[in-house]
Every structure is written in structure tokens, then in C-alpha cells.
Amino acid sequence: MTVSERIAVVTGAGSGIGRAVTEAMLEAGFRVALAGRRADALEQTAAGHPDALVVPTDITDPAQVDALFARVVAEWGRVDVLFNNAGIFGPAASAADVDPDEWRRTIDVNVTGALLCAGAAMRTMIAQRPQGGRIINNGSISAQVPRPQSVAYAVSKHAITGLTRSIDLDGRRHGISCGQIDIGNAATQIMTEIGVGSGALQADGSRMVEPTFDVADAARTVLFMAQLPAEANIPSLTVAAAGMPFGGRG
């Protein structure tokens, strides 16, 4: 199958890494379905591209997720790649102080939403002929080492690692591969929100301006994973800003 025949679904496509990955995939010749809550943001990402399909979707709603994949199959016949990317940073709090409602909201979006999208993708990939496909989960380096005051986000991203490994195992007999990319300090809006560019909270209580890297380079890395032949998979990959406090930040 040539790249121009491959069909991808990108969640959280309206901004940040999702937008950058969508643009990279379209440029590489993929047909891409853009999913996210805000139709206007999705339309901005699509920019009228003939191979872009905008499908506003709340990934925490099982019916909307199923409708997303049904729409893609109705339009293009199959799904070859899911970039499971949509997520929120959640509350800035420790386990001692986190608000239960904010905790549940973070888990609902980052974990349950990812599960619902992966499940719908797997069912689609199992039913289609030829069978199979690839799921790429956006973890975060917080799946390995948390930031201070980020318990909800850190737990949700650690859960993504379990989701990735389970999908890859359970999808094996159906020709479905799953890998995870953990991205650290790509220059996106969420990095601004947590103060990376102006002074991010460190483990010792200080604040430090951390280095970032171009989100387009993170997108190129996801694209590389998506373009692998079916015989190859990258189970886990970390790409981070050079010099960022990562290895010793915990």
C-alpha cells in the first residue's frame, strides 16, 4: 500500500502536536480524518486540504467515537493509522490536594478517551480487508518521570504505557501494531500554560526556563513511526528538547 492510499485518524488535531502531525501526514500523502472538540480549530488545521476530513468529536463519548470511525470508513473504506493524541494537562496539584472532579476529568480525557479511540480503531482494523493497522499513542515523558504538582497528568500518562502494551499484545494476531511516543518540551500552547518558557516548577521548588524544540520535529518523528512497513514497529520512542531537565528531574 502506498502512502497516498493510507488512511489516518488524528485526535486532538485542532492544535499543538495533533495539528503538526496532521499537517505532516497530509504533506506526506496520507488522507487524514481530524478529530477534536472544536470544529473551527479543526477547519484551521485542515486549511481546505482535499485529503482532510473534519469530524468534530468528543472522545469521552463512546457514541461519538464510534461515529468518527464509521464516518472514516464510509468516506475512505478503512483506517490504517490512529494517532491517539488528544489530552489535557489537568490540575496543578499533588495527590494530597487534587480536586476529585478535576482528577476524574483528566482521567476521562487522557485515559478513557484514548481507550475508546483505540478500541474503535481496533474493531475497524480487525473487520477491514486487508486486516490490520497501526496505533500510535502520545504518551509524554511524564509517562516516565513526572513534573512536580502534576499527579493527575502523570498517572494518566503512565496508564497510556499500559494501554500501548496491551493493544500491541492483543492486536498481534490481527496484524495491529501499537507504539508510544513520549515527547518532552515540544513548543506548543500547553508548554506555555505550564510555564516552560517563562519558568517551570522544578523538583527543588525553584522555577527554571526550560529549553524547547520545534513541534514540527516531533511531528516528523510521529510520521516516521506511521510510515513503517507492517513488518516493523517501534514499541516506545522518546524525543525531547536537548538539555531539558529530564533524566534528573524526579
Side-chain angles (χ1 to χ4, degrees):
M1 184 177 295
T2 65
V3 171
S4 63
E5 296 172 320
R6 298 179 76 178
I7 313 302
V9 175
V10 177
T11 66
S15 62
I17 291 168
R19 173 171 287 182
V21 168
T22 298
E23 292 170 346
M25 285 184 160
L26 288 169
E27 185 176 352
F30 280 80
R31 284 177 279 179
V32 184
L34 291 67
R37 291 179 296 107
R38 296 181 297 129
D40 58 339
L42 298 176
E43 294 287 357
Q44 289 173 15
T45 302
H49 197 290
D51 289 328
L53 177 66
V54 170
V55 189
T57 306
D58 178 353
I59 64 163
T60 67
D61 182 336
Q64 291 191 41
V65 172
D66 286 343
L68 162 66
F69 284 86
R71 173 80 184 280
V72 177
V73 171
E75 292 283 340
W76 291 329
R78 60 182 292 113
V79 173
D80 300 297
V81 178
L82 165 65
F83 181 43
N84 214 359
N85 165 72
I88 58 175
F89 193 72
S94 73
D97 303 314
V98 67
D99 179 272
D101 290 336
E102 292 184 335
W103 165 273
R104 280 188 286 268
R105 172 62 178 162
T106 306
I107 298 301
D108 282 349
V109 174
N110 293 2
V111 182
T112 304
L115 169 69
L116 293 174
C117 291
M122 288 183 74
R123 291 189 292 274
T124 301
M125 292 170 179
I126 290 169
Q128 65 196 14
R129 295 294 181 271
Q131 195 178 65
R134 184 182 308 278
I135 296 170
I136 303 169
N137 289 328
N138 188 353
S140 167
I141 60 170
S142 288
Q144 303 175 39
V145 181
R147 287 185 176 278
Q149 300 291 304
S150 66
V151 64
Y153 185 75
V155 169
S156 73
K157 290 303 184 178
H158 277 66
I160 293 297
T161 300
L163 178 65
T164 298
R165 293 173 179 173
S166 293
I167 293 168
D168 195 49
L169 178 62
D170 296 336
R172 185 180 299 171
R173 65 193 181 98
H174 304 292
I176 299 170
S177 296
C178 188
Q180 178 168 319
I181 184 166
D182 293 336
I183 300 170
N185 283 13
T188 62
Q189 181 61 35
I190 194 171
M191 290 295 100
T192 301
E193 291 172 2
I194 65 173
V196 166
S198 58
L201 183 64
Q202 304 298 304
D204 64 0
S206 67
R207 290 191 175 271
M208 185 177 77
V209 176
E210 297 183 7
T212 60
F213 71 108
D214 193 330
V215 68
D217 292 319
R220 289 193 301 109
T221 309
V222 175
L223 180 63
F224 172 72
M225 296 173 74
Q227 289 178 319
L228 287 172
E231 297 78 16
N233 185 42
I234 296 175
S236 63
L237 184 155
T238 302
V239 57
M244 71 168 292
F246 169 43
R249 86 178 188 199

